[in-house]
Amino acid sequence: MDKLKGLDLEGKLVLDAGTGAGNMTRYLENWGAEVVSIDLNSKWQMECRESVKRTQFITGDLSDLNFLKGDRFDYVICNFVISALSETKNLLMTSALREFYRVLKKGGTLVIIDYYPFRAEDTPSSLHDVQTQLWNLENAVSELLGEGHLEEYPPDVISQELKSIGFQNTDVSILLDEVPWPMDLLKEHESLILEDIEKLDDPEIKEAFKKKLRILIERAKSEEVRSGSIYELRAIV
Ligand SMILES: C[S@@+](CC[C@H](N)C(=O)[O-])C[C@H]1O[C@@H](n2cnc3c(N)ncnc32)[C@H](O)[C@@H]1O
């Protein structure tokens, strides 16, 4: 995938917004960037710490970066994070985008990489029913756990938001058209959903969700499940 194509990262100060499993953190460090990697969840960061050398890890909320000085970063990279911002979605997304604008230098670039929304009418991909049902199941479990649900935004909605904040030259490109979901990714997804189901209190609801998950995963193995298209959005301060 041509992620971050043409960006000069060598020696640049980069905010990796949302460490997650640390794939982007490692990538940025390998390209010679000075990385500050932030996530709400310190568990992932502990694991990632072992595979990088210079990165500074901070546990914090992207919607309130008051611990970072403004006008400082050359790049903010948001790799599959906008769709994971939890709870009061719109407010949180706007707050995070405002914070990215504040911490970027004049001329600095925000890069957002994410999936096109599954259900939006303007999505370029029509997703398989199993995929949509898995998505719904995941969101239902999240809601019951009080964690809010995942929300994917069409890039033009994000672009409008960015322009109203003050970003310029917003540019969107498709990185990857819909592709078959690899089996290992499906397995990983299954275990993540299962982990969340196990946290539920009600044994009957738990069983019902597990059963539904088993059925969907079996269907996904025998039918061809495809993932949505991925876009890269760049905006300049
Ligand atoms: C899909 S993962 C990110 C993947 C990662 N960027 C990579 O390239 O491997 C989404 C991450 O966003 C984090 N996240 C969600 N809401 C957040 C918030 N408000 N502040 C900081 N991190 C947040 C989650 O904890 C999760 O680790």
Side-chain angles (χ1 to χ4, degrees):
M1 215 192 294
D2 282 338
K3 265 183 202 178
L4 312 185
K5 198 177 179 185
L7 295 187
D8 173 21
L9 297 164
E10 174 101 44
K12 299 293 189 312
L13 186 61
V14 182
L15 171 60
D16 178 25
T19 315
N23 298 319
M24 182 52 77
T25 313
R26 281 185 284 275
Y27 182 87
L28 292 169
E29 206 187 271
N30 286 341
W31 276 97
E34 291 302 317
V35 188
V36 176
S37 194
I38 299 183
D39 203 293
L40 270 181
N41 187 340
S42 60
K43 175 177 166 271
W44 291 109
Q45 291 181 320
M46 296 298 281
E47 288 172 24
C48 179
R49 223 175 262 269
E50 288 161 22
S51 55
V52 291
K53 295 189 185 81
R54 307 180 310 273
T55 297
Q56 181 191 356
F57 289 97
I58 301 177
T59 304
D61 189 336
L62 294 169
S63 61
D64 182 5
L65 300 174
N66 63 55
F67 46 87
L68 292 181
K69 281 199 196 127
D71 195 13
R72 197 179 150 210
F73 287 87
D74 296 291
Y75 295 101
V76 173
I77 313 289
C78 219
N79 194 39
F80 299 108
V81 171
I82 289 294
S83 55
L85 292 172
S86 45
E87 294 187 76
T88 47
K89 301 290 174 198
N90 282 314
L91 181 66
L92 208 58
M93 180 180 71
T94 306
S95 316
L97 298 181
R98 280 185 199 285
E99 284 295 67
F100 299 159
Y101 184 79
R102 185 181 67 77
V103 300
L104 276 164
K105 282 180 185 165
K106 181 83 188 148
T109 305
L110 166 67
V111 183
I112 294 174
I113 297 159
D114 225 308
Y115 287 109
Y116 272 89
F118 283 6
R119 283 169 300 230
E121 276 159 29
D122 58 354
T123 181
S125 47
S126 57
L127 277 153
H128 199 287
D129 175 57
V130 176
Q131 178 86 336
T132 310
Q133 287 200 47
L134 269 174
W135 180 251
N136 290 340
L137 178 68
E138 197 176 350
N139 278 335
V141 176
S142 264
E143 287 285 1
L144 282 176
L145 288 172
E147 293 174 355
H149 60 279
L150 295 169
E151 185 87 71
E152 284 159 339
Y153 298 92
D156 55 327
V157 168
I158 301 177
S159 291
Q160 275 170 19
E161 195 68 44
L162 291 171
K163 281 182 193 146
S164 72
I165 291 172
F167 281 93
Q168 296 171 24
N169 303 336
T170 311
D171 177 63
V172 180
S173 54
I174 294 190
L175 275 187
L176 192 72
D177 281 324
E178 62 174 83
V179 287
W181 244 24
M183 208 38 84
D184 54 345
L185 201 65
L186 193 66
K187 280 263 145 222
E188 194 182 312
H189 205 60
E190 179 186 14
S191 56
L192 284 175
I193 301 178
L194 202 55
E195 213 175 278
D196 275 351
I197 292 176
E198 289 298 350
K199 294 181 201 157
L200 295 170
D201 292 330
D202 187 320
E204 277 181 32
I205 294 183
K206 234 163 137 164
E207 267 325 298
F209 276 135
K210 280 198 213 169
K211 188 172 168 200
K212 177 83 180 168
L213 181 63
R214 273 197 303 275
I215 293 170
L216 288 174
I217 296 292
E218 281 315 307
R219 271 187 64 193
K221 283 180 192 162
S222 57
E223 302 170 27
E224 195 187 57
V225 177
R226 302 175 82 81
S227 70
S229 299
I230 294 170
Y231 68 85
E232 180 173 309
L233 184 159
R234 296 184 185 182
I236 298 179
V237 168

